[in-house]
Amino acid sequence: MTRIACVGIAVQDRIYSVNALPTGGGKYQSNQYQETGGGPAATAAVAIARLGAEVDFIGRVGDDNCGKTLIAELQQFGVNTQHCLQVPHARSSQSAILVDEHGERIIINYPSPDLPADADWLDAIDFSQYDMVLADVRWHDGTAKAFTLARAAGVPTLLDADVTPQDITSLVALADHAVFSAPGLKRMTGSENGKEGLNKAAAQTDGRVYVTQGAEGALWKEYDHFCHLPAFVVKTVDTTGAGDVFHGALALALAENMPTETAVQFASAVAAMKCTRPGGRAGIPEREQIASFLSLYASNNGFLQGN
């Protein structure tokens, strides 16, 4: 069975549903509230487990009640947490999320200052056991260490290249697949144009580069040309975690040696289905659901537009 490692952060999400996102100060009424686990690598791990593969989450949480809850939830989804470090006397990371009636959201993240950045303890993990290593950019030292160890073991890597205060150029250079969010690509390259940004990113790595663009779909560079996959049209309830789910599904598809266009199509479908339910994880589909979902689109005149 395919086995993947997801390296990065786990966060407790507190999600408030509102009619419209606030545009200024004041008091606002939420019509629904939900607490659930989040974090790019952790949610990607849940997606991989839901899709039927073995997955290890490698990261750090506090030994507070929040950290215990995060680990327990991952385990309930079938994620192996033996390499998740619980830091003594430390708080876990938190996020407050506002979601409007169209599924758009505002995320306010509080990364715990109690969790040490040091990643030397990853040396004790045998990375040769994995078929793919996915990592986010929120634990910079952990990603750098994991990708270095994976490369030494001949294991491919996928970077969730989202927005973070640090310069991620060195991480992109280590990645076999660097998958940017549109804001993440703009932050690293300074370009708002997807193709221009990907060209600049491609100059920093020997790997393949991609960008997810929400309703505009996914764009990636295939050797010397660009490929585009339009977004699937679904009734969007909540986009929280959609990018994380896309990354997890793409990592699995690539680990299973799907052709790039098929892998992007698969990941896009998984992310689209996630958006049809509230929360970052509740809507993540299983493999059979994706097969049914894709079959509904099979009669369309192709998914890819190369240019």
Side-chain angles (χ1 to χ4, degrees):
M1 179 182 290
T2 303
R3 188 170 188 179
I4 297 174
C6 291
V7 181
I9 65 169
V11 178
Q12 183 72 7
D13 287 346
R14 291 176 169 83
I15 304 172
Y16 301 83
S17 297
V18 294
N19 293 328
L21 297 178
T23 57
K27 295 182 179 180
Y28 300 89
Q29 183 76 38
S30 173
N31 52 52
Q32 187 176 356
Y33 173 75
Q34 181 182 8
E35 290 188 17
T36 184
T43 299
V46 171
I48 292 166
R50 290 279 292 169
L51 292 167
E54 294 183 358
V55 58
D56 293 359
F57 172 70
I58 303 173
R60 308 145 303 148
V61 298
D63 66 349
D64 55 356
N65 288 334
C66 178
K68 294 172 185 175
T69 298
L70 290 172
I71 290 176
E73 182 179 335
L74 288 170
Q75 292 172 343
Q76 288 171 1
F77 276 112
V79 176
N80 177 24
T81 61
Q82 72 177 96
H83 299 306
C84 181
L85 178 67
Q86 280 194 279
V87 181
H89 312 298
R91 294 165 293 175
S92 299
S93 298
Q94 314 274 336
S95 286
I97 303 175
L98 305 181
V99 182
D100 72 11
E101 60 184 2
H102 304 294
E104 291 301 320
R105 78 275 191 265
I106 293 174
I107 301 177
I108 303 171
N109 176 244
Y110 176 70
S112 172
D114 303 337
L115 305 179
D118 174 69
D120 286 345
W121 56 275
L122 270 60
D123 285 321
I125 300 173
D126 176 14
F127 278 84
S128 68
Q129 66 186 301
Y130 301 115
D131 299 292
M132 175 72 72
V133 174
L134 175 155
D136 64 43
V137 294
R138 305 295 176 80
W139 180 25
H140 194 283
D141 292 6
T143 296
K145 172 66 77 171
F147 279 7
T148 299
L149 293 170
R151 175 168 287 191
V155 175
T157 56
L158 185 148
L159 179 69
D160 175 349
D162 201 358
V163 174
T164 189
Q166 293 173 288
D167 181 5
I168 64 171
T169 304
S170 62
L171 301 182
V172 171
L174 286 170
D176 294 300
H177 303 273
V179 188
F180 293 86
S181 65
L185 184 63
K186 178 183 176 182
R187 181 174 180 83
M188 192 187 101
T189 67
S191 176
E192 294 189 9
N193 179 277
K195 291 182 179 179
E196 181 181 290
L198 286 183
N199 275 332
K200 290 181 178 179
Q204 304 298 325
T205 178
D206 293 330
R208 188 159 291 170
V209 291
Y210 315 67
V211 61
T212 55
Q213 301 174 308
E216 296 180 15
L219 178 71
W220 70 100
K221 194 167 185 183
E222 189 93 19
Y223 302 108
D224 60 348
H225 68 279
F226 290 97
C227 293
H228 176 248
L229 178 75
F232 288 101
V233 178
V234 296
K235 181 176 175 57
T236 300
V237 174
D238 186 354
T239 59
T240 304
D244 309 332
V245 169
F246 178 95
H247 297 131
L250 183 63
L252 175 58
L254 292 171
E256 292 180 348
N257 296 315
M258 291 186 193
T260 306
E261 61 270 26
T262 305
V264 174
Q265 179 194 92
F266 176 81
S268 298
V270 176
M273 287 196 71
K274 184 243 80 71
C275 291
T276 63
R277 293 185 61 185
R281 296 175 178 175
I284 300 174
E286 295 181 340
R287 200 69 177 245
E288 295 77 10
Q289 292 172 290
I290 285 299
S292 297
F293 179 86
L294 287 172
S295 71
L296 295 176
Y297 287 83
S299 59
N300 290 356
N301 294 323
F303 293 99
L304 284 178
Q305 297 175 352
N307 48 46

